[in-house]
Amino acid sequence: MGGLFDRTGPTDFRRTSDGLYNEQTCLHTITPKSDGFVAQADFEEHPVAGHSFPTYTREDVKKHKTLADRVWVTYGGEVFDITDFVELHPGGDRILFAAGGALEPFWALYGVHKSEHVLEILQEYKVGVLDPNDKEEVPDLSDPYSQDPSRHPVLKVNSAKPFNAEPPPEILTERYITPNELFFKRNHLPVPNINPDEYQLTIDGPHGTNQEAPLKLSLNDLKTKFPRHEVIVTLQCAGNRRSEMSAVKPVKGLDWGIAAISNARWAGALLRDVLLDAGYTEDTPKALHVHFEGLDKDLTGTKYGASISFQRAMNKQNEVLLAYEMNGEPIPRDHGFPLRVIVPGVVGARNVKWLGQISVSTEESSSHWQQNDYKGFNPCIDWDTVDFKSSPSIQELPVQSAITEPKAGQTVTPDSDDKVTVKGYAWSGDGREIVRVDVSLDGGKTWNVAELYGEKQKERQSWAWKLWKLEASLPTEDKEVTIICKAVDSSYNVQPDTVAPIWNLRGVLNNAWHRVHVSVHRD
Amino acid sequence: MGGLFDRTGPTDFRRTSDGLYNEQTCLHTITPKSDGFVAQADFEEHPVAGHSFPTYTREDVKKHKTLADRVWVTYGGEVFDITDFVELHPGGDRILFAAGGALEPFWALYGVHKSEHVLEILQEYKVGVLDPNDKEEVPDLSDPYSQDPSRHPVLKVNSAKPFNAEPPPEILTERYITPNELFFKRNHLPVPNINPDEYQLTIDGPHGTNQEAPLKLSLNDLKTKFPRHEVIVTLQCAGNRRSEMSAVKPVKGLDWGIAAISNARWAGALLRDVLLDAGYTEDTPKALHVHFEGLDKDLTGTKYGASISFQRAMNKQNEVLLAYEMNGEPIPRDHGFPLRVIVPGVVGARNVKWLGQISVSTEESSSHWQQNDYKGFNPCIDWDTVDFKSSPSIQELPVQSAITEPKAGQTVTPDSDDKVTVKGYAWSGDGREIVRVDVSLDGGKTWNVAELYGEKQKERQSWAWKLWKLEASLPTEDKEVTIICKAVDSSYNVQPDTVAPIWNLRGVLNNAWHRVHVSVHRD
């Protein structure tokens, strides 16, 4: 990534559990430097000379999210009122995504901001500084969610407790790697508050061997005893695009749009290496499933849990990780600090966060989320007739794609060549690469092939999405059009045409063609 | 399999290149034995006592395929006129599949025939014996196809030269393993006539090593130097179900129905083991693709060729075979005698038959069939705009299913419970198991879950199809209904709803829902 947040510079940057930009626990001023880039230092030590600014809390800033309330943003430890700049912003009203919150994640998306010039402009709008004593509120201990981290206000919150939120879809396709703050967040329980220095991962040893005693590994053990493995993996919630399923017939589940999917670079120890260290081999008798237990728990003490097959865990090609880094930073609290499982190509629900314990069994995890949730059913099965035992737990996900721009209901204006730009993402499970995305601008009568973007990964290890873009003419003088996308993966799997025949009572696995209805404005 | 053709008995059974039942080169009588089963011996040595029967050739028998021409069949070396038995046959008119040809493949499907009682009944209808001198016709050397083997008349021939044929679909779902004679046949060129004693497989050694010289292996070497590996694999032609695609818009290609798919038990040496013996390792530099060249060639001497990735070849889990056996017999000539490649989970076209040479390269095979055929395209690409370089060669195939019973246009009669039986197959590529088949009897409004049949194979190694069956009520008093099936694989991939959006100029990869329109007859 380099640039503004490059860690290779001389300044010390305190790593925290809160991710790349240290919104909560560290405050920094940004000082322009002669090389056009900036360094970070403690806010208190560098008051801006010749000015005295009022002090605000993040809660104060959050109140300024609209032009009517005036638009405030933060950067480093400073507060800016950019209301009057919104019209002047070369990138248009996209700047409003940051309204009421921090600029940093967006500047990570839009590299053009990383210049002295932009920082100078920003300084003109400075109205205050962030209160250096603006810590998290005193937790309300009667609320199990009181110690959850704060989140960027741009996220669309589908559930506050537990926290489930997705970014605006158009942000997803701005960059191949999703910044941590904007990565979709799907928690099942309160976020545990784990002291990394005291953290220990427990791995039960193989029964009936001389390694039967559990192996205990500290975070430092995980970082130093095993080779560091890095891999770019897209995670997707099984409920991504559920809202389209609910539109067919109500389902039980959070109302996710199309952005319960994001892409990050993860680093950690290979689960295979840790299992080998704990005494397992590929031939360990009765080793069929690997169970993961989180440290997040409900009021009765029940922890989140899930399992994958032992074969998936042990096969090098699958690159299953015990990850301690997300995009070059310690994994943020919302994403599993200090350690989570990354199972490439597999539904988010098996990528257990805040990992506490690993065990190996002849059976799948008995957890609710393995046995009685995250399974697919025929559209005619309802809550009266469902037998959760009759379906396999969701592991690998099917081929998927969606349109992030334009948005449903938007009015699109063709450019001088009468062309419009359509953008989106496409991904498939189990390492299958996306080989083609078809886009229709006339409701499915004709199809164009979109351009694909993204890093080339290995055969059967294409764990990350492809972003795609199409510039094409609207075919007629129609005032309204339905734009559709559908992807093809390396196994030539395709998406189904419609949602109703794959509808299921939990609203999971919606991978039907994505349709966006827009109005056309021609001058 | 056991029973009638059990090879463990005391009788000698001459193995030939023509498969399980030796239609062409060996003639046998069937003599009932006291244990209810039968033994085989040379026809000439055992004339049936007290009778003198006329002698017929296979061509004579083929003329008797209808009730009007009278229905003749052969069994062992004997000829039977079963016209008067057709009405008495407990299995109904299915007996007509054998009309004009041999009973053996059907008795392999329907095990109930393997009894002394049935053989006694058959003897009542004997009308002659097969001419022991009925060899293949003298080849017309001006016809490159003159030495092709003869085939069972039940096959629906889509092209005679090269020979391409599929069995009646309802036969496919009679047994999990498809008998060799009934297995779909897809040849690109004339069938080579290979002397197994002189046969040699050439494997080019790795460049720049001390094993650079080609390795030469005889058939006996392949059988004795490497462990014998057995695996049940379904093969499917990329053009299976092309006729439904042609119905949308004409395509170039043979008019396959739904039966260009079959399932067999293959045995041979693992390609991995042979490559290791030739000096390759997983880390051989520049080893990216494995090329296979057949011994079948066109008039200019160009041989059939294809390639798969080196990684696929070397990964044990993929079980890529150099197969010399098909369902317990030497591979029949039509299926690649004496050696073919079996690439589980991958399109038939890469399963090169009559294998002559293996080489390893940085590039894919340059053959027509790898570069300019067997690729998928967007439905709006036509022969004027197609760029074959823009699409990847088809390797793994997508999830598939089809209805074998009832047939389109058939009149179905519900049973006394007002139920009908629907049967079919379902399969997916790359070792993905079929986890569910949905069947609709009302054109897609409601869906039932079918019962699945077939051997359980390992995770990610589920190379064989599942057969399925549903007994369900027709929902209304409708006189006509559309029956639909759609399958789900272990990656929760599903089939697309309709053919048109996956139409492509070569008519490959049709895996849309299969629809069968039938009339309903109620008493």
Side-chain angles (χ1 to χ4, degrees):
Chain A
M1 292 165 61
L4 192 56
F5 298 101
D6 197 333
R7 299 280 164 272
T8 58
T11 49
D12 174 46
F13 188 85
R14 228 170 87 210
R15 296 203 166 193
T16 76
S17 61
D18 297 295
L20 198 51
Y21 309 105
N22 291 280
E23 273 187 46
Q24 291 179 303
T25 53
C26 291
L27 300 172
H28 303 88
T29 52
I30 304 297
T31 316
K33 282 179 62 174
S34 59
D35 62 357
F37 288 94
V38 292
Q40 294 146 333
D42 285 347
F43 167 70
E44 293 92 337
E45 295 168 19
H46 296 271
V48 177
H51 282 274
S52 173
F53 284 102
T55 297
Y56 298 105
T57 64
R58 282 193 169 69
E59 280 306 307
D60 294 332
V61 177
K62 270 192 192 165
K63 290 171 190 154
H64 296 273
K65 291 186 66 170
T66 64
L67 292 169
D69 295 328
R70 301 203 65 82
V71 176
W72 288 15
V73 297
T74 68
Y75 189 75
E78 299 175 303
V79 180
F80 306 91
D81 178 343
I82 58 165
T83 315
D84 300 332
F85 180 69
V86 171
E87 268 195 22
L88 308 172
H89 184 229
D93 62 4
R94 208 151 272 214
I95 198 173
L96 292 176
F97 281 141
L103 280 175
E104 281 89 340
F106 299 94
W107 285 17
L109 285 178
Y110 307 105
V112 68
H113 297 87
K114 296 174 185 172
S115 78
E116 192 173 346
H117 172 64
V118 173
L119 290 168
E120 280 169 7
I121 294 173
L122 188 62
Q123 283 300 321
E124 296 172 26
Y125 297 95
K126 182 166 172 179
V127 292
V129 294
L130 278 172
D131 183 353
N133 301 313
D134 180 18
K135 305 289 185 200
E136 288 184 58
E137 287 168 40
V138 177
D140 168 7
L141 293 177
S142 70
D143 176 3
Y145 292 94
S146 60
Q147 296 195 60
D148 268 22
S150 67
R151 288 94 180 191
H152 199 284
V154 76
L155 296 174
K156 180 195 152 217
V157 178
N158 297 319
S159 155
K161 298 177 181 182
F163 191 74
N164 287 276
E166 61 189 303
E170 57 272 45
I171 283 183
L172 282 184
T173 43
E174 289 297 330
R175 228 181 71 179
Y176 179 62
I177 298 287
T178 317
N180 292 354
E181 287 85 344
L182 306 179
F183 202 100
F184 84 96
K185 297 172 205 315
R186 200 282 176 253
N187 299 339
H188 293 85
L189 296 162
V191 176
N193 212 343
I194 299 165
N195 180 339
D197 299 329
E198 291 171 9
Y199 172 79
Q200 272 203 324
L201 173 67
T202 302
I203 306 110
D204 289 349
H207 292 296
T209 71
N210 57 6
Q211 285 184 279
E212 192 163 352
L215 176 66
K216 303 261 186 186
L217 295 171
S218 70
L219 196 54
N220 193 53
D221 291 338
L222 285 157
K223 290 179 180 174
T224 56
K225 281 183 69 175
F226 305 95
R228 179 179 182 280
H229 188 84
E230 192 174 285
V231 59
I232 301 178
V233 175
T234 295
L235 293 187
Q236 183 183 214
C237 178
N240 191 31
R241 303 182 58 200
R242 180 179 284 135
S243 57
E244 296 159 68
M245 228 169 228
S246 312
V248 170
K249 198 164 76 174
V251 300
K252 276 194 193 170
L254 298 171
D255 196 38
W256 292 104
I258 65 168
I261 183 169
S262 302
N263 190 40
R265 186 186 300 271
W266 309 90
L270 284 172
L271 173 60
R272 173 190 158 85
D273 293 342
V274 173
L275 288 173
L276 289 172
D277 195 52
Y280 295 93
T281 69
E282 273 150 16
D283 305 318
T284 297
K286 299 186 181 174
L288 298 180
H289 300 275
V290 181
H291 295 213
F292 307 118
E293 193 179 75
L295 292 166
D296 49 334
K297 52 192 171 194
D298 67 16
L299 293 176
T300 71
T302 302
K303 293 169 175 168
Y304 185 79
S307 64
I308 63 171
S309 75
F310 186 75
Q311 178 184 304
R312 184 181 302 280
M314 289 299 279
N315 188 332
K316 263 188 204 174
Q317 185 180 277
N318 294 329
E319 300 184 82
V320 182
L321 271 196
L322 302 181
Y324 42 73
E325 274 182 35
M326 179 177 184
N327 292 329
E329 287 298 312
I331 291 192
R333 285 187 63 212
D334 258 334
H335 295 286
F337 181 81
L339 194 76
R340 77 175 296 178
V341 190
I342 293 294
V343 193
V346 162
V347 63
R350 313 302 167 210
N351 292 251
V352 174
K353 302 196 272 194
W354 314 290
L355 183 65
Q357 179 149 8
I358 298 175
S359 54
V360 173
S361 169
T362 54
E363 305 297 328
E364 276 193 289
S365 166
S366 62
S367 93
H368 167 78
W369 299 276
Q370 190 86 12
Q371 298 294 335
N372 297 316
D373 198 354
Y374 294 116
K375 293 188 169 188
F377 294 96
N378 167 307
C380 293
I381 304 286
D382 60 26
W383 289 98
D384 293 330
T385 57
V386 66
D387 169 14
F388 272 92
K389 290 203 179 6
S390 69
S391 273
S393 62
I394 300 171
Q395 297 280 345
E396 307 153 17
L397 288 174
V399 59
Q400 174 70 290
S401 72
I403 298 161
T404 57
E405 292 185 51
K407 290 202 277 191
Q410 193 177 322
T411 298
V412 299
T413 305
D415 65 14
S416 54
D417 297 329
D418 202 42
K419 291 195 169 176
V420 294
T421 299
V422 186
K423 292 169 81 174
Y425 64 78
W427 179 76
S428 191
D430 204 28
R432 296 186 298 269
E433 188 182 8
I434 292 297
V435 301
R436 201 181 78 229
V437 174
D438 295 335
V439 180
S440 175
L441 299 176
D442 57 8
K445 281 185 235 119
T446 63
W447 297 90
N448 308 272
V449 177
E451 276 182 85
L452 304 181
Y453 300 89
E455 286 190 23
K456 177 78 183 167
Q457 295 181 303
K458 287 189 199 152
E459 178 187 333
R460 287 278 288 267
Q461 294 175 295
S462 294
W463 311 121
W465 65 13
K466 290 280 196 302
L467 302 183
W468 56 263
K469 188 165 95 165
L470 175 77
E471 288 178 12
S473 298
L474 295 171
T476 65
E477 291 296 314
D478 290 352
K479 297 284 185 212
E480 307 216 316
V481 297
T482 299
I483 304 174
I484 308 178
C485 74
K486 62 184 176 81
V488 182
D489 73 19
S490 54
S491 205
Y492 276 102
N493 282 299
V494 297
Q495 299 178 238
D497 311 18
T498 58
V499 177
I502 56 168
W503 183 97
N504 57 80
L505 74 180
R506 268 300 264 123
V508 291
L509 299 163
N510 180 14
N511 73 328
W513 299 357
H514 188 224
R515 291 169 165 84
V516 167
H517 195 74
V518 297
S519 303
V520 182
H521 172 258
R522 284 190 170 88
D523 294 320
Chain B
M1 294 165 60
L4 193 55
F5 297 102
D6 196 335
R7 299 282 165 268
T8 57
T11 48
D12 174 45
F13 188 87
R14 230 168 86 208
R15 296 200 169 197
T16 78
S17 62
D18 298 293
L20 198 52
Y21 309 105
N22 292 280
E23 274 187 48
Q24 293 180 302
T25 52
C26 292
L27 300 172
H28 301 90
T29 52
I30 304 296
T31 315
K33 281 180 60 175
S34 60
D35 62 359
F37 290 94
V38 292
Q40 294 145 332
D42 285 347
F43 168 70
E44 293 91 340
E45 295 170 20
H46 297 270
V48 177
H51 284 271
S52 172
F53 284 103
T55 296
Y56 297 105
T57 64
R58 281 193 171 66
E59 281 305 308
D60 296 331
V61 176
K62 271 192 192 165
K63 290 171 191 155
H64 296 273
K65 291 187 66 171
T66 64
L67 292 170
D69 295 327
R70 299 202 67 82
V71 175
W72 287 15
V73 296
T74 68
Y75 190 76
E78 300 176 303
V79 180
F80 306 91
D81 177 344
I82 58 164
T83 315
D84 300 332
F85 180 68
V86 171
E87 269 195 22
L88 306 172
H89 183 229
D93 61 6
R94 207 151 271 216
I95 198 172
L96 292 176
F97 282 139
L103 280 176
E104 281 87 340
F106 299 95
W107 285 18
L109 285 179
Y110 307 105
V112 66
H113 298 87
K114 296 173 183 171
S115 77
E116 191 173 348
H117 172 65
V118 173
L119 291 167
E120 279 169 7
I121 293 172
L122 188 64
Q123 285 298 322
E124 295 172 27
Y125 297 95
K126 181 166 173 179
V127 293
V129 293
L130 279 171
D131 182 353
N133 301 314
D134 178 18
K135 305 287 183 200
E136 290 184 59
E137 287 169 39
V138 178
D140 168 9
L141 293 178
S142 69
D143 175 2
Y145 292 94
S146 61
Q147 295 195 59
D148 268 21
S150 65
R151 288 94 179 189
H152 199 284
V154 76
L155 296 173
K156 180 195 154 217
V157 178
N158 297 319
S159 156
K161 297 175 181 183
F163 191 73
N164 287 275
E166 62 190 302
E170 58 271 47
I171 281 182
L172 282 184
T173 42
E174 288 297 329
R175 228 183 69 180
Y176 179 62
I177 299 287
T178 317
N180 292 354
E181 288 85 345
L182 306 179
F183 202 100
F184 83 97
K185 297 172 205 312
R186 199 280 176 254
N187 299 339
H188 293 85
L189 295 162
V191 176
N193 211 341
I194 298 164
N195 180 338
D197 300 329
E198 292 170 8
Y199 171 80
Q200 271 202 325
L201 173 68
T202 302
I203 306 109
D204 288 349
H207 293 296
T209 71
N210 59 5
Q211 285 186 279
E212 193 164 350
L215 175 68
K216 304 261 186 186
L217 296 172
S218 70
L219 195 56
N220 194 52
D221 291 338
L222 284 157
K223 290 179 180 174
T224 56
K225 281 183 70 175
F226 306 94
R228 179 179 182 280
H229 188 84
E230 194 174 283
V231 58
I232 301 177
V233 176
T234 295
L235 293 187
Q236 184 183 213
C237 178
N240 190 31
R241 303 184 55 201
R242 179 179 285 133
S243 57
E244 295 159 67
M245 229 170 227
S246 313
V248 170
K249 198 164 78 173
V251 300
K252 276 194 192 169
L254 299 171
D255 196 38
W256 292 105
I258 64 168
I261 184 169
S262 302
N263 190 41
R265 186 186 300 270
W266 310 89
L270 283 172
L271 172 59
R272 172 191 159 84
D273 293 341
V274 172
L275 287 172
L276 288 172
D277 194 52
Y280 295 93
T281 69
E282 272 149 20
D283 305 317
T284 297
K286 299 184 179 177
L288 298 181
H289 300 275
V290 181
H291 295 213
F292 306 117
E293 193 179 76
L295 293 165
D296 48 335
K297 52 192 171 195
D298 67 17
L299 293 175
T300 72
T302 302
K303 292 169 176 169
Y304 185 80
S307 64
I308 62 171
S309 76
F310 186 74
Q311 179 184 305
R312 186 182 300 280
M314 290 299 279
N315 188 332
K316 261 186 203 175
Q317 185 180 277
N318 294 329
E319 300 184 84
V320 182
L321 270 196
L322 303 180
Y324 41 73
E325 274 182 34
M326 179 178 183
N327 292 330
E329 288 298 309
I331 291 191
R333 286 187 63 212
D334 259 333
H335 295 284
F337 181 83
L339 194 75
R340 78 174 297 177
V341 190
I342 292 294
V343 193
V346 162
V347 64
R350 314 302 167 209
N351 292 252
V352 175
K353 303 196 273 193
W354 314 291
L355 183 66
Q357 180 149 7
I358 297 175
S359 53
V360 174
S361 170
T362 54
E363 305 297 326
E364 277 193 289
S365 166
S366 62
S367 91
H368 167 78
W369 298 275
Q370 191 85 12
Q371 298 293 335
N372 298 314
D373 198 355
Y374 295 116
K375 293 187 171 189
F377 294 96
N378 168 305
C380 294
I381 305 286
D382 61 27
W383 288 99
D384 293 330
T385 57
V386 66
D387 170 14
F388 272 94
K389 289 201 180 5
S390 69
S391 273
S393 62
I394 301 171
Q395 297 280 346
E396 307 153 15
L397 289 174
V399 59
Q400 175 70 289
S401 71
I403 298 161
T404 57
E405 293 185 47
K407 290 202 278 193
Q410 191 177 324
T411 298
V412 298
T413 305
D415 66 15
S416 55
D417 298 327
D418 202 44
K419 292 195 167 176
V420 294
T421 299
V422 186
K423 292 168 81 173
Y425 63 76
W427 179 75
S428 192
D430 204 27
R432 296 186 298 271
E433 188 181 8
I434 292 297
V435 300
R436 201 180 78 229
V437 174
D438 295 334
V439 180
S440 175
L441 299 176
D442 56 9
K445 281 184 239 130
T446 62
W447 297 90
N448 308 273
V449 178
E451 275 182 86
L452 304 180
Y453 300 87
E455 286 190 24
K456 178 77 183 167
Q457 295 181 302
K458 286 186 201 154
E459 178 187 332
R460 288 276 289 265
Q461 295 175 296
S462 294
W463 312 119
W465 65 14
K466 290 281 196 301
L467 303 181
W468 56 263
K469 189 166 94 165
L470 175 76
E471 289 177 14
S473 298
L474 294 171
T476 65
E477 291 296 314
D478 290 352
K479 295 286 186 211
E480 306 216 317
V481 298
T482 300
I483 303 174
I484 309 178
C485 74
K486 62 184 176 80
V488 182
D489 73 19
S490 54
S491 206
Y492 276 102
N493 281 298
V494 298
Q495 299 179 238
D497 310 19
T498 58
V499 177
I502 57 168
W503 183 96
N504 59 81
L505 75 181
R506 267 301 264 122
V508 290
L509 299 164
N510 180 13
N511 73 329
W513 298 356
H514 188 225
R515 291 169 166 82
V516 167
H517 195 75
V518 296
S519 303
V520 182
H521 172 258
R522 284 190 170 87
D523 294 319

